[in-house]
Amino acid sequence: MDDAPKDHIARAYQWAKEHVAIDDVSELVTDAGSARFTATFRVPLPSRFVTAGETRKGVRTQEPVTFLFTALFPFQAPLLRLRPDFPRDFPHINPNVTEVSPCIFDGNLSELLQQPRWFDGLLDQMADWLAKAASDSLMNMRQGWEPMRTDECHGILLYDWESLQKRAEEGIQQHQRFYAACWPPGKGGIGLVLSSFEGAVDKKRILKSEDTAGIVMTTPPDRPSDRYLPCHVHDLSDLLGLGEMFGITALDENITGLRRELNNVGKRIMLVILVIQRPVHIIGSPCRYECISFALRWETKIKKKRSKTKLFAEVLSNRDVCTPGLLQRFSGTRSYDEQITLVGCGSLGSKIGMHLARGGQKALSLVDNAWLAPHNNARHAIIAGLLESKVEALSKEFKKMRVRVDAHNKDARHHLASIPPASLVIDTTASQAVRNSLASEHPGKQVILCALYANAAHGLLCIEGHDHNPRVDDLVLTQLYRAVDDKQLNEVLFQEDGELTPTGQGCGSVTVIAPDTRISLIAAAMAARIRQHIEAPQDRHGTILWGSTFDDMALAWTDIPVHPSIHIDGVLGGSWSVRVLAEAEAKMSAATESDAPKETGGVLVGHVSYTTRCMTVVDVLPPPPDSIKKRHLFVLGTEGLKKSIQKIELASRGKFTYLGTWHSHPGGGGQSRTDEATLVRITFLRNYEPTICLIWTPLKILAVT
Amino acid sequence: MSTSTVTFYPVDNGAMALIKLNDDAETTILSDIYIQPEADDPDGEKFDVAAHLRKQLNTDADGKPYVDVLLLSHNDDDHIKGIREHFHLGPMDEYTFPDDENTDLPIVIHEIWGSARFWKRSSTSHKLSEDAKTFNKEMKRRVKLFEDTGLIQNKGERALIIGKDPEGLTDNLSPIVREINSTFSKVNNRELITKLLVRVLGPIPQQDGEEDENFKKANRGSVIVQVAVKESNLWDSYENLLLLTGDADVLVWECLWDNHNGSDWLDYDILLVPHHCSWRSLSHDSESDCDDPQVSNDARNALSQAKPGAHAISSSKPIKDDEATPPSQLAKNEYVAIVGEKQFICTSEHPNENDPQPLVFNLTAAGPQKEPTKSKPRTSKAAAAAAGESFAHG
């Protein structure tokens, strides 16, 4: 051994000698690659056992503990060994057939050694562990029931253990058979529980594969077993004894029956799962049911025309298969059973989808008609394979997590009608066409829009309000209109040349230059916000979140609540609709109140969509100074109006313009002949482009027809 | 918190112990206070009991630290010192948060348990310290609140009087009086019958033939209680019995033996030996004046009801065989004879005289178990040693 570890071990040895809980330390024995000493700890016994000097389970007032060091010390903690006859029926003992090795720290012991207390920390933990063993309080019921220790583990059984525990918790008494795959069959292998079945074993299925079958047996209801014992099972008799201790009836008959059926088709192995009710929840689980699994193997030898069968029971270690439930537990998220439709599986969509799946989302429907290309590897969540569509590649990954996936390799616009009502749709396509399609959909679906701007330096997240109102197009238009008076925002949202108004960038596009880290930064935040929305839906209003990155590291979001819009159908001859955004309506109300009982009014500013046949009023301009306001008359002036409109059109690249006029009827009442004539006149002047005149009344907003 | 605990603080010849229950509310009962200025001094040698205490306490919704109960045995300085410095006294609406966030917040006492002697004024025979006067004033305030309304007050305003006042001052206060030889399990207005039972043993009334002068002594009026803390797990259950004795003298113990001989009211797993291990709790003979002082059999019997494996705790200075008593070596010998050498612990000697630390017992389902002594951080010790001395540099 080198000098350095020797020096460290010598110091540890000295510290043990000086420790307040240690009575005696043996000589330090050092050889080539290791060193050891034995420290005798003074164990405080509870008063009941002081006179006897030993607890009921056999912990004594003095307990020797051997510390075994390797040359890696102090980067590797020493192994700890208790006396060989130390009672083993305690939790927090590491699995080991021959040695008694206490598990004294809830974590890596080598990490504990790196703390400021160094070797004293380890000695303190050891002293504490022994004191807890003496008071039989190693099992901390508030922390939960420690699962049975398996000193000899012969293989692994994969299953959705959490579901099994939950079913038991719900009072479903499970005495059922199941098929299981084994690789390789027999000792040291891995098993996977496939599906449960009733009745006899399907011989054809079993014969054709390496599959076998097994049984699940559960303790009777309200018979919790409060005995902590390590699991020492070697043969059928041990297994039946364990079942009897837990109060499981008919275990023998069930095993015998299934074994006979399997034996008849040449199988020599079956699986047994015992589901045991404990007095408190299992550590790390909300359930009180502990599952213990075994492989039962048998060999038959024929001697002198008489057959003799030997049975071996082998304890298996339980491993979870990946399920959304498991992922929820580890993510600390809550269950959401409804399917989410992810429209757009590009870089942004794939990352958001992956975050949701990792957070335990149970069902996803994927819609995208694109194929993975080499350049997608720069930013997509999946590494591109050959000739693989984005939805197929993504769904393969999701299926590994047992997420229910529908993959639709087609244009989103062809699929929207198939999306179930009342479901959540996440649009990451950055396509105005898709967004307009979604906006036109019948109320019911709730749309969340995710888009990136300016090479992913900014992100926009829009969450529709309750019952599709405010709609996704209302939210996007609100955000765009904010850019009219905000220079910085304007540069981002209206930066591109020409008349097109950008609606976000599809980051699979070769024109977008942004590192994966930047897109991941925004995608993670968007997924987190979507998760929050799923777990605790907001009030009736919709939400706009505008995010800006800084140095590709920091990210700040502006959160803007948007109240429901007013929807008016049947304008312009019946085929058009008008949407008045809440902010515009609020301005109309305020102006009416201010000028009442006189009428007032102004110019409607907004957006015309010929695709959706919708005129969206985003703002109202105040009446020009030369306007006339009387009790039953409002005449809209013209002073400065043209300039104001031009400024808006210029700033928004024509996205927002003059839509028509509004005026108030503070006392109520419908449209007048004057109103009708005005509409005709304005429509004529606007060369019959879509034009509206609205009347604000105390009850509702009317469109002049 | 897996089990309830009791912590005895190293406070020289004083008394201070904290019972912390493992019920949902983590109820705390502080038995006596003795926080010396030296213990508050960052450069002082004495253990910083106040800092340790504060770490054990929960805070209310506003962030105010609190104890559920202060149980005061009697108002001598070695049982009450530090109350003005560290605790909030007065109406709760007068609680003030210090401007300086480095200043400790005053600890709120939700409920006080004390004898009826808080009505007694300072006199030449029993001169009250400022802390004692403040405590008495607070008790009077709380009792007056009950008198005025007839209602159990809110947290921070409650008081229970242990034992009736011989002059009848408690006659109309029965809802807040716990009589001698009675039991109760309501703590801070919460019923804890499955966790805790308090048996009230003292202060016992004036005895026939007992001189007024003796009866009026502060020690004579000590509150004595047996506190049973119940603990159970899936395999065991146990009543951890703590006998808290104040500074009661030999006459009191003789009477208690007379009253409770044959019952389990004097049984204990942990005995806080009376009067800092004073010989005069066991004997009528003066240790210094008498060549062969004799133990009172009845007093010794009263203090001998140790359950198997019981501990006796002397809340005192280190015990030396010299004339400076208490603590008395003779008295220690008697307790050692009762519980055994290893089971007798002096708070100033735990784990050693040079560096005494709080003595903690876990109250388990198999009886009290001394918490293993942990090492002190060596680097902190080194830092403290170096920081306490000035060094010249050339």
Side-chain angles (χ1 to χ4, degrees), chain A residues 394-409:
Chain A
L394 204 52
S395 64
K396 267 189 204 168
E397 297 302 310
F398 291 162
K399 280 175 183 169
K400 289 179 190 169
M401 295 184 259
R402 303 219 164 183
V403 176
R404 289 197 312 273
V405 191
D406 297 333
H408 305 279
N409 184 17

Side-chain angles (χ1 to χ4, degrees), chain A residues 13 24 26 56 69 80 83 111 140 168 199 217 302 335 341 388 403 430 444 451 507 509 573 652:
Chain A
Y13 177 70
D24 184 47
S26 73
R56 189 184 301 124
F69 298 85
L80 309 181
R83 59 187 159 89
E111 294 303 316
N140 181 347
M217 301 291 285
I302 298 172
S335 173
T341 301
E388 203 169 21
V403 176
C507 43
S509 163
S652 67

Side-chain angles (χ1 to χ4, degrees), chain A residues 461-526:
Chain A
L461 179 67
C462 296
I463 303 173
E464 285 190 343
H466 178 73
D467 205 16
H468 213 31
N469 191 8
R471 268 183 354 201
V472 65
D473 52 338
D474 299 340
L475 299 171
V476 173
L477 290 171
T478 302
Q479 177 63 8
L480 291 173
Y481 190 69
R482 287 181 64 230
V484 167
D485 289 327
D486 183 326
K487 199 178 168 207
Q488 277 186 325
L489 196 58
N490 195 288
E491 281 174 10
V492 174
L493 291 177
F494 296 109
Q495 66 178 344
E496 294 187 354
D497 294 333
E499 293 301 309
L500 285 173
T501 306
T503 59
Q505 292 168 307
C507 43
S509 163
V510 290
T511 59
V512 172
I513 307 301
D516 180 58
T517 47
R518 191 188 299 158
I519 294 170
S520 296
L521 185 66
I522 293 187
M526 286 178 167

Side-chain angles (χ1 to χ4, degrees), chain B residues 176-221:
Chain B
I176 60 166
V177 175
R178 299 292 177 264
E179 292 189 30
I180 308 305
N181 297 333
S182 72
T183 64
F184 67 96
S185 53
K186 201 176 227 184
V187 178
N188 193 15
N189 217 27
R190 283 195 302 274
E191 182 52 68
L192 294 178
I193 187 67
T194 58
K195 177 51 63 182
L196 183 96
L197 184 72
V198 180
R199 295 185 173 102
V200 183
L201 289 155
I204 58 170
Q206 188 168 9
Q207 301 298 296
D208 291 343
E210 183 182 5
E211 289 179 9
D212 283 352
E213 190 187 352
N214 189 63
F215 180 65
K216 285 178 181 172
K217 284 178 180 168
N219 291 349
R220 173 63 180 80

